[in-house]
Amino acid sequence: MNLSGKLHLFGSPRWIDSSGVVGLAQGQFLWLLAYLGLQDDWVNRKDLAELLWDDVNTTSGLNNLRQLLHRNKHLAWAQALEASPQALRLTNDTDIKSFRGACQAADWETALLEYSGSLLEGSRLTGFEQLEVFFETERSVLQSDWREALIGRTQTLERGGNAVELFELLQTLLEVDPYNEEALHSLLRQALVLGRQERGTRAFQAFGQRIRADLGLEPLSETLRLAALVSGSEVVARGSIEADVCLLGRELEQTSIRAQLAHDSVRLLTLRGSGGVGKTSLAKWVLEHQTSGFQDGAVWVSLQPVSTVEDVPLVIADALKLNLNANSSVWQQITESLRSKNLLLILDNLEHLRGVFESLAALLEAAPHLKMLVTSRVSLELPGETVLVLEGLDYPEEPSLELAQSSSAVRLFVARAALRRVGFVLSAQTVPGILRICKLVHGLPLGLELAAAWAGELSPDALADGLESNSDLPENDTLGAHRSLRTVFEHSWELLEDELRTALSAVSVFRGGFERRAALEGLGVSARALLALVGRSLLQSLPGGRYDLHSVVQTFAAQKLERAQLKHLQLAHAHYFARFAEHAETPLRGGTGQTRWLERVAADHRNFVALLETCRGIPPDLALRTATALSRYWMLHGRAVEGLGQLEAAIQAYKISVDSEVSEPTLMARAQLAAGIQASCSAQFERAYAHLDAAQLEASVHGFILIQAEVLYWRAANERDQGLLEVARVHLDQAIALQERENDVWGLGHSINDLGIVCAMEGDDDTAKTHFQTSLKLCREREDRKGEAIALENIALVNPNRLVAISLIRESLAIKRELGDISGIATSLGNLGNAALQELQLSQARDSILESLELFYRIGQPLKTVYNLSVLAEISVLENKFADALTFYGVSRSGFERLQAIPDDRLSENIERLTAQARAGLTPEFADAAYALGCSMTLDEAVCFARKDVKQIENDVVAARVS
């Protein structure tokens, strides 16, 4: 087998090895090689025969395939094929494989080097209909990936790199993505840096001509500003709009909000008004400019995509970065996290979720320093609620130029219209039409923006005529404000070309926004359509290449879909995000692209949740594949309880719908393993063992060695946490043997690390250190940042040099913060607290341990929460707070017993010694009472006790300073 050669399928097909470059002739053998190269796996011979000879029966097709292989066996590249009686695969490297690997790792430079042209450039597949469709689909996907690589490389270079290369790449990007205005912004900035103003100006002019001719749009004001800088023009960007143009006419409301939030008696402030009146814009202004008075800042919660009352606490917890545990209700955990916080909670679009109003009232009562700002179309009618009613912007009844000049509604319309038509101004001629528009949309900012989007093609009078023709509602209709938005939307809908109507309805299925490529690849929406919809104010362009719709526009657009269209789009949405999750699965395990993929998955988490809602009729295997692929994300972000619930629901739905004889054993084994991991991470040992047993059964029956190894690893992790060290060691040894046999470097790194932990718990620090160092080496080879952080920290824990140990723990903590690994951050904080405790830096130790405890409690890791409570007991003993120490020890003992966990010998001896020391400082009766109080506490009560204890210390310090 020739292992040195490489098959190149980008551009003109060719084979490159040590002897040189050989072009590949078109024909069936090339199509065979290309198909296998794109699949990068074993392919059944029957499937290949059907693709290459679809007009003959299976027997003849298989015979033709054998003859094709025989005729070409003398070719060097034929040696890259590996055959079995049932299947074929390509074993050698291909530029496709290298390109895809580089994209997954966010190695954009390598990806661009590998992409040397479109797939099979210049090749014609006459008479191969199925293959032609397959290659065309792959060609489109690869070109999309190449565009993403271009964008990724330009973003990397913008952060620091070769400015000349960046400028050239941006020009290439605009050639293949001609409506990418963000790329033009970057190019104009680089033109200034490099002194290439003339080329920058030409690029701007070409872009402007293109979108005017193709879309009837003008460039954005930011584009015009940059172009003016590049050309050296003193002209201010057309429109000259203030940064907060959407808040024109809201000065009184801003003043009122500022005063209300500063008043101690105002706990709940509701911004009430119809859809499109600007509630969200005002709330965002508060978030950006009015939160300095809150010690713990502000948290934004968008409830527009939420459809059920049950999901509300989950969304709030997500916004609070509150990772849930299985030991109490979500509302209870939210309450505990906010009980002592001085924070502003902003809840946007609450009106359709009336069932949570009472829960919000209870939350305010339990958290005395919490304030809420709510946007809603209705009042919440809760005790103590302050309501600020928003109406449409003001406009005069009479067509007076003087009065119109001071009208907020007119100013907003003119400012927006000026972006659509050069030289658009308020004049005596335009006033009548503008005022008719203001009246028709009731002065609603959204209605004015949607109407102004057409100012480039229609005069104000023509716009007003069109709106009136779509409105047959009486002026005094109580729903006039909302219906006026329906009127302006319907008029916009009529003016849109068919492609844009289809695109707008299609993107209404997204939840929480979407990436550009999700619309392009997932739903077949064109880049041209996205830009045009942004230009019509029907779609919002967000930083980072994401898009979203205003809730009113999304509702109206979705209503244009027929039931069959909706189902088709939801299925396309599900297929796209299932592929997205599976592409993310490998980089989430480690590598240079891990952080980027974590961010991408987090940004689209609501889209993934929408996919997993089984009531939408998505194929159960699609839901199960997605949930399984997201397992690593849930684990890294401390969302194990949520992940376990999603996986168990998907597994159950799959079992019900799929006959056991046709189910995919690999999928089921991986899904059960993923569920076992989530249960293990949340210390739900019985559920963990049930899922791990099911995964082991599937894996052993079908010979899935790596799954068997990982099952053994997680079983050992649970046994270790329960104090069953001998059993854990046996299972780790078995896992390591399988991983070495399969050359699974990633798995080996983690298993050897855990073997080191067992050795350390048994008191053998020297052997433990050797295992940790081996694990560190393996994890660094695999670029597994999570594994590297764990190994670094474990090396620190067996290092006798305290300063070196602390340095290693901080290095580990930095990596975990980069990954957003909540559980890992909590572990590092706990270890830093223990290190400070060894140096008798009690205040620092308490702060670190309490922060660690809070994180472990939030993400549902009760065992580690209990361990931290035992450390707080030790700190309390050293502070001579003996009653608190005994209460903490009582909590620890009962907690370990409830969790069926046995502390290691060192911890048990330490607890016994310090408990005796604490008892010696109290009368027997007082000591017994303090200890019994701890034993009777629930974990929730113990965490609250720890918080109060710390609060009391803070009060003592303040009192001491005053005295």
Side-chain angles (χ1 to χ4, degrees):
M1 187 174 295
N2 182 2
L3 298 178
S4 62
K6 184 172 182 177
L7 178 64
H8 290 256
L9 298 172
F10 285 128
S12 179
R14 59 208 181 279
W15 174 266
I16 301 178
D17 59 20
S18 57
S19 61
V21 181
V22 181
L24 303 183
Q26 295 187 33
Q28 286 173 307
F29 194 62
L30 173 58
W31 313 148
L32 173 66
L33 289 174
Y35 186 83
L36 293 172
L38 286 162
Q39 295 291 346
D40 192 29
D41 200 353
W42 287 99
V43 179
N44 190 284
R45 286 175 178 256
K46 290 182 180 179
D47 294 337
L48 292 170
E50 290 176 2
L51 283 169
L52 293 166
W53 295 277
D54 59 357
D55 58 343
V56 300
N57 60 46
T58 302
T59 302
S60 298
L62 288 171
N63 186 52
N64 291 340
L65 178 61
R66 283 192 294 271
Q67 291 180 20
L68 179 67
L69 295 173
H70 180 75
R71 285 198 306 270
N72 291 278
K73 67 179 182 180
H74 64 285
L75 300 174
W77 44 95
Q79 306 306 309
L81 288 175
E82 182 177 357
S84 77
Q86 290 79 34
L88 295 173
R89 70 171 174 173
L90 191 71
T91 58
N92 283 40
D93 198 8
T94 68
D95 55 354
I96 302 288
K97 183 177 181 179
S98 301
F99 171 77
R100 285 173 169 167
C103 286
Q104 280 200 331
D107 182 1
W108 309 122
E109 185 175 14
T110 299
L112 293 177
L113 288 173
E114 291 290 345
Y115 192 94
S116 55
S118 63
L119 176 66
L120 298 174
E121 196 170 83
S123 300
R124 300 181 62 184
L125 281 75
T126 306
F128 297 91
E129 185 176 348
Q130 290 185 63
L131 269 178
E132 190 173 2
V133 172
F134 171 78
F135 285 138
E136 187 57 41
T137 302
E138 290 293 310
R139 185 176 292 114
S140 176
V141 172
L142 291 166
Q143 285 174 338
S144 178
D145 288 340
W146 175 56
R147 285 195 296 271
E148 184 186 8
L150 275 170
I151 294 170
R153 180 61 176 160
T154 58
Q155 291 173 343
T156 301
L157 291 171
E158 280 184 321
R159 291 191 291 268
N162 187 321
V164 174
E165 180 189 354
L166 173 57
F167 190 80
E168 300 300 328
L169 282 177
L170 287 166
Q171 287 191 306
T172 302
L173 180 56
L174 281 168
E175 289 172 7
V176 300
D177 197 355
Y179 303 111
N180 191 332
E181 205 155 353
E182 288 184 0
L184 179 62
H185 291 173
S186 298
L187 185 142
L188 292 172
R189 287 192 290 267
Q190 292 306 311
L192 283 169
V193 171
L194 296 170
R196 298 184 177 182
Q197 285 88 344
E198 184 178 349
R199 290 176 68 179
T201 299
R202 287 203 304 269
F204 162 72
Q205 290 171 341
F207 180 85
Q209 291 170 0
R210 188 159 53 244
I211 65 169
R212 288 187 193 101
D214 295 353
L215 307 172
L217 298 177
E218 291 291 331
L220 297 173
S221 56
E222 174 64 9
T223 311
L224 295 168
R225 184 187 71 80
L226 288 169
L229 289 172
V230 169
S231 65
S233 169
E234 296 297 324
V235 179
V236 179
R238 177 171 46 78
S240 189
I241 303 174
E242 309 96 301
D244 288 334
V245 66
C246 59
L247 294 173
L248 278 170
R250 294 302 187 196
E251 294 80 8
L252 288 176
E253 287 86 350
Q254 288 173 299
T255 300
S256 178
I257 292 171
R258 188 183 295 114
Q260 297 287 357
L261 290 178
H263 205 288
D264 290 342
S265 64
V266 176
R267 302 285 312 287
L268 171 61
L269 177 59
T270 300
L271 304 183
R272 193 187 80 195
S274 61
V277 78
K279 303 184 296 296
T280 298
S281 295
L282 263 177
K284 286 183 176 177
W285 171 80
V286 172
L287 181 69
E288 294 172 7
H289 302 290
Q290 298 300 312
T291 58
S292 58
F294 295 89
Q295 182 180 344
D296 296 301
V299 173
W300 178 273
V301 184
S302 175
L303 295 169
Q304 182 264 325
V306 179
S307 57
T308 66
V309 169
E310 291 75 20
D311 287 337
V312 174
L314 296 172
V315 175
I316 294 176
D318 187 30
L320 290 168
K321 301 189 186 312
L322 181 63
N323 300 285
L324 303 174
N325 62 60
N327 304 311
S328 55
S329 74
V330 180
W331 278 118
Q332 185 176 354
Q333 293 174 70
I334 292 171
T335 302
E336 289 303 324
S337 72
L338 296 177
R339 192 181 295 278
S340 60
K341 295 284 180 67
N342 175 222
L343 180 140
L344 178 64
L345 187 63
I346 304 177
L347 305 173
D348 187 42
N349 281 298
L350 186 63
E351 63 277 344
H352 61 298
L353 299 162
R354 294 173 182 263
V356 302
F357 291 0
E358 293 300 325
S359 297
L360 294 177
L363 178 59
L364 282 169
E365 185 176 351
H369 306 293
L370 173 71
K371 290 193 178 188
M372 288 184 195
L373 177 68
V374 170
T375 72
S376 174
R377 297 180 190 177
V378 298
S379 299
L380 276 60
E381 299 180 356
L382 295 176
E385 179 186 19
T386 300
V387 179
L388 179 61
V389 180
L390 298 183
E391 305 285 354
L393 298 177
D394 66 279
Y395 55 89
E397 292 292 333
E398 299 299 323
S400 161
L401 178 59
E402 183 179 356
L403 292 175
Q405 287 172 335
S406 60
S407 159
S408 299
V410 172
R411 286 164 58 204
L412 176 59
F413 180 86
V414 172
R416 289 305 194 203
L419 289 175
R420 309 300 174 197
R421 181 189 294 180
V422 176
F424 187 96
V425 293
L426 181 66
S427 66
Q429 289 72 38
T430 58
V431 162
I434 292 173
L435 290 181
R436 286 168 62 204
I437 293 169
C438 291
K439 186 175 183 179
L440 283 163
V441 302
H442 294 260
L444 294 177
L446 178 61
L448 292 166
E449 292 208 29
L450 292 175
W454 295 98
E457 288 85 33
L458 301 172
S459 68
D461 280 323
L463 269 171
D465 289 344
L467 290 175
E468 286 175 344
S469 69
N470 275 282
S471 176
D472 56 359
L473 301 172
E475 291 184 13
N476 62 351
D477 193 295
T478 56
L479 297 177
H482 183 72
R483 294 190 181 183
S484 68
L485 286 179
R486 165 75 71 179
T487 297
V488 73
F489 175 81
E490 291 296 341
H491 183 55
S492 295
W493 184 264
E494 285 186 2
L495 293 173
L496 289 175
E497 56 190 272
D498 288 344
E499 180 192 2
L500 302 189
R501 292 180 186 178
T502 302
L504 181 59
S505 294
V507 298
S508 70
V509 302
F510 290 113
R511 293 293 176 267
F514 58 94
E515 286 184 345
R516 190 166 180 267
R517 67 180 302 168
L520 271 60
E521 292 180 26
L523 304 184
V525 175
S526 69
R528 171 187 179 278
L530 289 178
L531 183 60
L533 292 173
V534 171
R536 301 303 181 197
S537 298
L538 293 163
L539 192 61
Q540 301 166 27
S541 179
L542 306 176
R546 290 183 66 81
Y547 296 87
D548 203 358
L549 292 83
H550 189 285
S551 59
V552 173
V553 174
Q554 184 167 28
T555 299
F556 290 160
Q559 289 171 354
K560 294 293 183 182
L561 292 168
E562 295 179 0
R563 184 176 181 83
Q565 291 174 310
L566 177 60
K567 290 186 68 175
H568 172 76
L569 286 167
Q570 287 177 335
L571 188 59
H573 173 280
H575 276 289
Y576 174 82
F577 282 101
R579 290 195 304 271
F580 182 172
E582 290 180 325
H583 286 157
E585 186 173 12
T586 297
L588 286 180
R589 290 172 72 91
T592 54
Q594 186 178 41
T595 302
R596 170 179 164 271
W597 279 96
L598 282 168
E599 291 170 351
R600 285 188 66 191
V601 171
D604 271 309
H605 192 252
R606 288 190 184 176
N607 278 309
F608 289 116
V609 171
L611 186 165
L612 294 170
E613 292 175 355
T614 54
C615 62
R616 291 179 52 194
I618 300 304
D621 67 310
L622 213 58
L624 189 56
R625 281 168 44 203
T626 305
T628 302
L630 291 175
S631 174
R632 185 76 176 170
Y633 167 78
W634 285 319
M635 185 178 73
L636 282 172
H637 275 261
R639 305 174 75 147
V641 173
E642 176 186 358
L644 179 58
Q646 294 283 15
L647 278 159
E648 288 184 336
I651 288 170
Q652 185 62 25
Y654 184 76
K655 284 181 176 178
I656 292 172
S657 65
V658 179
D659 191 291
S660 60
E661 293 182 3
V662 297
S663 65
E664 300 178 52
T666 310
L667 175 58
M668 184 55 76
R670 290 175 56 245
Q672 293 284 9
L673 170 60
I677 292 172
Q678 306 305 314
S680 299
C681 288
S682 53
Q684 299 183 61
F685 296 124
E686 288 188 12
R687 289 167 77 180
Y689 288 132
H691 287 298
L692 292 173
D693 287 345
Q696 176 68 29
L697 179 61
E698 290 280 358
S700 59
V701 168
H702 298 283
F704 305 143
I705 304 300
L706 292 181
I707 294 178
Q708 292 181 59
E710 197 163 358
V711 168
L712 289 165
Y713 166 81
W714 282 101
R715 186 180 294 281
N718 290 328
E719 291 158 350
R720 180 200 68 209
D721 286 345
Q722 293 175 289
L724 307 172
L725 299 185
E726 291 185 9
V727 183
R729 177 188 288 276
V730 170
H731 285 145
L732 283 170
D733 285 339
Q734 292 173 347
I736 289 169
L738 293 175
Q739 288 158 346
E740 286 177 337
R741 170 179 150 190
E742 297 296 315
N743 194 29
D744 177 17
V745 177
W746 187 91
L748 269 174
H750 287 264
S751 294
I752 291 174
N753 173 81
D754 275 40
L755 188 58
I757 294 174
V758 170
C759 292
M761 292 176 73
E762 292 174 336
D764 187 355
D765 286 354
D766 290 339
T767 304
K769 182 178 180 181
T770 299
H771 288 318
F772 295 147
Q773 288 172 333
T774 301
S775 174
L776 179 63
K777 179 176 180 293
L778 291 170
C779 290
R780 282 177 169 166
E781 285 177 7
R782 181 66 177 71
E783 294 186 282
D784 177 4
R785 297 283 282 162
K786 163 86 170 178
E788 178 184 356
I790 293 171
L792 281 169
E793 191 148 355
N794 285 331
I795 292 171
L797 297 180
V798 294
N799 193 311
N801 186 317
R802 188 66 54 192
L803 291 177
V804 172
I806 291 173
S807 175
L808 290 171
I809 294 171
R810 286 177 175 160
E811 184 180 352
S812 173
L813 177 59
I815 295 173
K816 292 170 180 177
R817 290 194 189 281
E818 172 193 325
L819 296 174
D821 177 10
I822 305 299
S823 176
I825 292 169
T827 299
S828 294
L829 287 168
N831 287 328
L832 285 174
N834 276 299
L837 179 58
Q838 297 301 314
E839 299 296 320
L840 296 180
Q841 298 172 353
L842 300 184
S843 176
Q844 183 179 336
R846 180 179 285 275
D847 288 345
S848 294
I849 292 297
L850 188 68
E851 188 176 355
S852 173
L853 178 147
E854 287 277 7
L855 290 175
F856 278 133
Y857 173 69
R858 278 171 42 193
I859 64 178
Q861 295 202 15
L863 186 59
K864 293 179 180 178
T865 305
V866 169
Y867 173 78
N868 273 326
L869 288 167
S870 73
V871 179
L872 285 176
E874 183 172 353
I875 294 171
S876 298
V877 170
L878 295 173
E879 292 173 334
N880 294 324
K881 298 180 65 178
F882 300 125
D884 285 353
L886 287 169
T887 299
F888 281 130
Y889 279 133
V891 169
S892 302
R893 177 176 177 179
S894 61
F896 282 128
E897 289 176 352
R898 280 197 298 269
L899 294 168
Q900 299 179 334
I902 304 171
D904 62 69
D905 293 340
R906 294 179 185 180
L907 178 58
S908 296
E909 291 171 5
N910 203 35
I911 289 175
E912 291 296 328
R913 177 176 58 81
L914 292 170
T915 300
Q917 186 176 335
R919 282 186 172 279
L922 300 170
T923 65
E925 294 80 5
F926 195 5
D928 288 343
Y931 187 76
L933 174 64
C935 290
S936 66
M937 281 183 178
T938 66
L939 191 59
D940 293 340
E941 291 169 339
V943 172
C944 289
F945 178 78
R947 291 174 184 147
K948 290 174 184 175
D949 184 50
V950 171
K951 199 68 181 176
Q952 183 58 51
I953 292 172
E954 291 172 353
N955 293 338
D956 292 345
V957 170
V958 171
R961 287 175 179 168
V962 172
S963 63

